[in-house]
Amino acid sequence: MMELLIATKNKGKISEICEKLSRLQIKLKNLSDFPNLEEPAETGESFSENAILKAKSYALQTGLWSLADDSGLEVESLGGKPGIFSARYAGEKASDEENIRKLLHELEGVENRKARFVCVMALCNEKGKIKFLAEGVCSGIITSEPRGNNGFGYDPIFIPDGFESTFGELSVEIKQQISHRAEALKKIISFLCNFTAL
């Protein structure tokens, strides 16, 4: 059976990804199974570059196929910020609440609240060769204050198109169908289904 490393420490991401991949004949591991790995510096200038950096680094360190993602929020009126700096927008060790507070402060009085979540996933084989790259996008708007306790990151202030509730208010089941990560995972799963069927 193929072993695949989910290359993240983010428990929310691990939960979302593992739930989607659980139907495949693949043994899933995550970074908590390898406590002594060196975390690669995210020096890329795009979601794709950072996802590739992480996937390659962890694949070579563990000798396993590795699935890494880089994702974030792009706000139209802020020129695409916070973008690749989404997780550390208010500082290197900033909490979700601190990042949200900074973003809402910058959007005070701004009418254009359009934004989109972007996720790029890189799948790398055990030798460090990228085998597949997938992107998912979910468009919506930013609220004026946090709503809901589900999800993580900017979920409480993001209302996806076609809904009136934030990701923080919507059920896990709905988010698993429409999110940027769900979109990217659909493409990853399609690739893995074909690959593992060979």
Side-chain angles (χ1 to χ4, degrees), residues 50-154:
N50 280 331
I52 288 168
L53 274 171
K54 289 186 277 190
K56 282 187 173 183
S57 172
Y58 288 123
L60 291 172
Q61 287 185 73
T62 61
L64 295 175
W65 277 67
S66 174
L67 176 65
D69 93 312
D70 198 50
S71 50
L73 181 69
E74 295 180 336
V75 180
E76 189 172 278
S77 60
L78 297 179
K81 290 185 196 173
I84 60 171
F85 302 107
S86 292
R88 51 193 188 276
Y89 196 43
E92 276 303 319
K93 302 291 183 184
S95 66
D96 290 346
E97 291 75 18
E98 288 168 330
N99 287 328
I100 285 173
R101 203 176 305 126
K102 178 177 180 181
L103 185 66
L104 290 180
H105 177 72
E106 291 184 345
L107 287 175
E108 278 180 17
V110 176
E111 283 188 29
N112 179 6
R113 315 287 288 193
K114 287 183 185 176
R116 65 179 202 158
F117 271 124
V118 179
C119 172
V120 176
M121 289 189 166
L123 187 64
C124 187
N125 71 10
E126 75 281 5
K127 294 176 181 168
K129 183 173 175 59
I130 296 295
K131 303 300 285 185
F132 193 70
L133 206 60
E135 180 179 87
V137 173
C138 181
S139 298
I141 59 169
I142 302 298
T143 61
S144 56
E145 59 184 16
R147 289 170 18 202
N149 299 311
N150 294 333
F152 57 94
Y154 297 92

Side-chain angles (χ1 to χ4, degrees), residues 35-60:
N36 299 318
L37 297 182
E38 190 173 321
E39 191 172 341
E42 295 185 31
T43 54
E45 295 182 3
S46 66
F47 294 119
S48 297
E49 287 180 13
N50 280 331
I52 288 168
L53 274 171
K54 289 186 277 190
K56 282 187 173 183
S57 172
Y58 288 123
L60 291 172

Side-chain angles (χ1 to χ4, degrees), residues 9-41:
K9 291 178 181 170
N10 184 308
K11 289 179 181 175
K13 287 184 182 181
I14 291 170
S15 174
E16 286 183 15
I17 293 170
C18 286
E19 195 278 328
K20 285 283 189 184
L21 297 182
S22 62
R23 303 174 193 91
L24 303 180
Q25 294 298 306
I26 295 174
K27 186 174 182 181
L28 300 174
K29 304 224 172 217
N30 63 66
L31 293 184
S32 63
D33 297 315
F34 302 92
N36 299 318
L37 297 182
E38 190 173 321
E39 191 172 341

